[in-house]
Amino acid sequence: MDAIGGGLIYEVNLDLDAAIADDYLAWLRPHMLELCALPGFIDARLYAVEEPAAEPGRAAWCVHYRLRDQAALEDYLREHAPRLRADGMARFGGRFNASRRVLRAMAD
């Protein structure tokens, strides 16, 4: 059972070379909008990670995508993720790392 306003959070944690931060951000904001246009995506929010602090010369960000349900996430992972992830890799190669988690709201 989902809590009020439930659904899922698809979290993407980004660790990137500070030298590409401006270019990456210029790519990331439209990328987030593209994901939010997909079926089942509700919204997205970008955070600068304060703790733990990024290593010198690095930037740390976290994106939370709110999704309607598990089916929407599975559709994204199957139908869209490979292409969208490849775009980021083609543009920024080994200058960033991304890790992902899925969070589900707990009922009270």
Side-chain angles (χ1 to χ4, degrees), residues 6 19-20 36 38 62 70 82-83 97 106:
I20 67 163
C36 286
L38 295 173
C62 179
Q70 183 68 33
R83 169 182 55 85
N97 296 303
M106 295 176 61

Side-chain angles (χ1 to χ4, degrees), residues 33-91:
L33 292 172
E34 184 176 358
L35 265 69
C36 286
L38 295 173
F41 277 73
I42 298 168
D43 58 22
R45 182 163 287 178
L46 175 62
Y47 301 91
V49 176
E50 297 287 322
E51 288 291 332
E55 295 291 324
R58 307 292 292 174
W61 301 335
C62 179
V63 184
H64 278 189
Y65 295 98
R66 195 161 49 112
L67 288 96
R68 178 189 62 232
D69 55 23
Q70 183 68 33
L73 177 62
E74 290 171 4
D75 181 65
Y76 162 72
L77 293 173
R78 183 181 55 254
E79 302 295 329
H80 304 284
R83 169 182 55 85
L84 293 168
R85 291 178 185 176
D87 182 45
M89 288 302 296
R91 290 172 189 257

